[in-house]
């Protein structure tokens, strides 16, 4: 029987689920996700394990408002495997009326047959990893799709899904402002209603990080990266795409509801290799080791690592930090009190006053938000809040 009862508020009892599909055609140079190249032969076994993990964790189907199937590259699965995955997810996590079901796709691995499978299953949003439209920059990121494949994938997606999004990366080594302008022009020509634009991060242990350590790549200097961020905010705002989170832009009504769950610090299930979840105030993360994941699930064990249960004050601070990422909503004092039991000013009054004085936060008495300048120095503000 499907459970639709709202037993507890959404910050304790999940109304959202993340499902991880780790397979990729190859490993991109900057990638720090739980993703594997050359492991496609494990797809069926992985889906068996995923179903087993889901059944053990949920016990019975649970209605959710948002589902996000990410990776890895979910569309790396062949169409029949994708169909099996979608059926399994639809069974265990029935989507509430008006819910959002997103699947991440790589322009090089999405074709019409796979898109048809997803649309028929009820997927209503696709997030495409474009990253750049410059062959030279795609090569620097070690992406394995060509720029023209993005347009082809968008054409497939636009015909089948009511909502879709593109991911872009700025600050790629060897890039300049003109490259970024060209990327934004190419992006806007496709008329997306949602964009995620992240500054490149050299994650420790990645191929790109090793190249940086060896002096083989030169990072974009901070001033240029700031100019790139300024440019994307201006250009997208002019195009009607509003910055609603530090790195995310949408036309009104096209914000990612799933990501808004994370930024409200609401609960969510996490299923699959390396998946994180937050349920009843406890955070857990599954192992990122594929063999360990398979063996543990097949032995009827849990694949999670150590739990982290935050105390009430830590959870309140973390909620404030996540809510501040939301550039339009920010922290609403009444909502914050309802969710955490804490008065925002008792908890963070001096920090807020100081950053308002420095021009990094604005406070209208009801909400506290990052200012325009605060978006550039968000890391500093968020760190202090936690
Ligand atoms: S496609 Fe995405 S998940 Fe896969 S290796 Fe590249 S960045 Fe990582």
């Amino acid at each position: 029987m499907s459970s639709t009862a709202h037993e507890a508020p959404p910050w304790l009892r999940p109304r959202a689920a993340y499902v991880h599909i780790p397979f990729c055609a190859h490993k991109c140079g900057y990638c720090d996700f739980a993703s594997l190249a050359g492991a496609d032969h494990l797809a069926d076994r992985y889906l068996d394990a995923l179903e087993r993990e889901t059944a053990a964790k949920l016990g019975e189907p649970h209605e959710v408002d948002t589902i996000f199937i990410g990776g890895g590259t979910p569309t790396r699965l062949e169409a029949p495997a994708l169909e099996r995955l979608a059926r399994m997810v639809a069974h265990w996590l029935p989507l509430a009326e008006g819910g959002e079901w997103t699947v991440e796709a790589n322009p090089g691995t999405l074709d019409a047959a796979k898109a048809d499978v997803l649309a028929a299953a009820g997927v209503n949003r696709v997030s495409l990893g474009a990253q750049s439209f410059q062959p030279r920059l795609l090569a620097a990121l070690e992406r394995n799709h060509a720029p023209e494949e993005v347009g082809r994938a968008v054409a497939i997606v636009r015909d089948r899904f009511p909502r879709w999004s593109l991911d872009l990366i700025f600050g790629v080594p060897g890039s300049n402002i003109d490259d970024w302008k060209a990327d934004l022009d190419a992006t806007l020509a496709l008329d997306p209603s949602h964009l995620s634009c992240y500054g490149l991060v050299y994650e420790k242990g990645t191929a790109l990080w090793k190249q940086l350590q060896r002096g083989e790549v030169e990072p974009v200097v901070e001033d240029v990266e700031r100019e790139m961020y300024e440019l994307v905010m201006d250009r997208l705002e002019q195009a009607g795409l509003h910055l609603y989170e530090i790195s995310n832009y949408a036309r009104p009504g096209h914000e990612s509801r799933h990501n808004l769950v994370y930024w409200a610090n609401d609960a969510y299930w996490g299923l699959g290799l390396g998946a994180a979840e937050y349920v009843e105030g406890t955070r857990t993360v599954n192992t990122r080791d594929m063999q360990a994941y398979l063996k543990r699930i097949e032995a009827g064990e849990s694949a999670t690592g150590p739990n982290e249960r935050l105390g009430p004050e830590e959870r309140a601070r973390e909620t404030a930090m996540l809510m501040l990422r939301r550039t339009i909503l920010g922290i609403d004092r009444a909502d914050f009190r309802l969710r955490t039991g804490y008065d925002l000013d008792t908890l963070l009054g001096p920090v807020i006053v100081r950053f308002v004085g420095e021009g990094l936060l604005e406070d209208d008495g009801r909400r506290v938000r990052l200012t325009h300048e605060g978006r550039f120095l968000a890391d500093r503000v968020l760190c202090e809040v936690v």
Side-chain angles (χ1 to χ4, degrees):
M1 196 186 74
S2 168
S3 166
T4 54
H6 293 251
E7 303 94 342
W11 50 94
L12 292 176
R13 187 79 180 150
R15 298 281 303 164
Y18 174 81
V19 181
H20 191 77
I21 301 298
F23 306 104
C24 284
H26 90 132
K27 189 82 175 172
C28 303
Y30 61 98
C31 180
D32 184 38
F33 305 118
S35 64
L36 298 165
D40 299 341
H41 61 287
L42 294 172
D44 284 340
R45 195 172 154 202
Y46 182 77
L47 292 182
D48 288 343
L50 190 60
E51 179 144 29
R52 211 165 157 171
E53 183 198 3
T54 307
K57 205 170 255 184
L58 271 59
E60 64 175 14
H62 279 269
E63 186 182 81
V64 287
D65 297 319
T66 68
I67 302 167
F68 195 103
I69 302 185
T73 310
T75 49
R76 177 74 183 164
L77 292 176
E78 296 300 338
L82 213 46
E83 190 168 5
R84 179 183 169 199
L85 168 70
R87 236 186 299 118
M88 192 268 279
V89 169
H91 170 76
W92 286 103
L93 299 158
L95 198 60
E97 184 74 28
E100 177 190 275
W101 183 353
T102 304
V103 173
E104 271 184 347
N106 186 323
T109 59
L110 185 70
D111 59 28
K114 293 179 185 180
D116 283 341
V117 163
L118 296 175
V123 172
N124 53 22
R125 187 171 180 274
V126 169
S127 173
L128 279 170
Q131 316 314 355
S132 174
F133 290 83
Q134 322 291 319
R136 172 170 68 78
L137 303 184
L138 289 171
L141 293 169
E142 295 181 46
R143 296 286 299 185
N144 69 340
H145 70 263
E148 52 277 14
E149 285 181 283
V150 179
R152 189 190 58 80
V154 166
I156 290 173
V157 165
R158 187 182 272 141
D159 282 351
R160 293 167 176 83
F161 302 93
R163 299 168 75 191
W164 55 278
S165 172
L166 289 179
D167 282 2
L168 288 182
I169 294 179
F170 63 91
V172 178
S175 67
N176 55 36
I177 282 290
D178 288 338
D179 290 319
W180 186 229
K181 282 183 182 156
D183 269 347
L184 291 176
D185 287 342
T187 301
L188 289 173
L190 295 169
D191 195 24
S193 58
H194 186 283
L195 271 176
S196 299
C197 296
Y198 291 94
L200 179 71
V201 177
Y202 293 82
E203 296 285 0
K204 198 171 174 190
T206 59
L208 203 56
W209 176 83
K210 287 176 191 159
Q211 288 170 28
L212 183 69
Q213 300 305 305
R214 295 194 294 262
E216 293 166 8
V217 291
E218 205 174 316
V220 168
V221 297
E222 219 178 293
D223 284 355
V224 174
E225 206 165 318
R226 184 186 161 111
E227 208 183 322
M228 288 175 168
Y229 187 38
E230 186 86 60
L231 186 69
V232 63
M233 283 195 279
D234 286 354
R235 287 292 308 277
L236 297 187
E237 186 67 40
Q238 284 163 18
L241 289 144
H242 307 297
L243 182 79
Y244 72 101
E245 192 266 351
I246 294 168
S247 304
N248 284 274
Y249 305 77
R251 293 198 196 290
H254 287 256
E255 297 84 4
S256 160
R257 287 180 57 196
H258 187 81
N259 284 345
L260 286 169
V261 167
Y262 296 148
W263 301 320
N265 212 11
D266 279 348
Y268 52 92
W269 278 296
L271 301 156
L273 187 73
E277 74 171 23
Y278 184 42
V279 178
E280 306 276 357
T282 300
R283 290 191 184 284
T284 48
V285 184
N286 276 349
T287 174
R288 289 171 66 114
D289 177 331
M290 181 63 131
Q291 286 305 326
Y293 174 81
L294 293 173
K295 283 183 185 150
R296 282 163 64 179
I297 298 288
E298 285 163 359
E301 296 166 9
S302 142
T304 56
N307 290 350
E308 185 194 9
R309 189 164 178 91
L310 300 179
E313 184 179 330
E314 278 175 306
R315 193 175 74 82
R317 286 177 178 274
E318 191 188 61
T319 302
M321 182 271 286
L322 289 165
M323 286 179 162
L324 269 183
R325 299 187 62 96
R326 310 181 303 184
T327 44
I328 297 173
L329 294 173
I331 310 174
D332 177 297
R333 284 186 163 84
D335 184 41
F336 183 79
R337 183 193 277 277
L338 178 72
R339 285 163 175 275
T340 65
Y342 278 81
D343 175 71
L344 182 66
D345 298 293
T346 308
L347 187 67
L348 289 167
V351 177
I352 292 170
V353 168
R354 179 154 54 83
F355 282 128
V356 168
E358 288 183 33
L360 303 184
L361 288 179
E362 60 187 26
D363 182 355
D364 65 7
R366 178 183 165 193
R367 291 179 193 277
V368 178
R369 284 182 282 228
L370 288 169
T371 59
H372 183 82
E373 182 60 22
R375 296 169 189 172
F376 295 96
L377 299 169
D379 283 350
R380 204 184 119 208
V381 178
L382 301 182
C383 263
E384 287 227 20
V385 165
V386 176

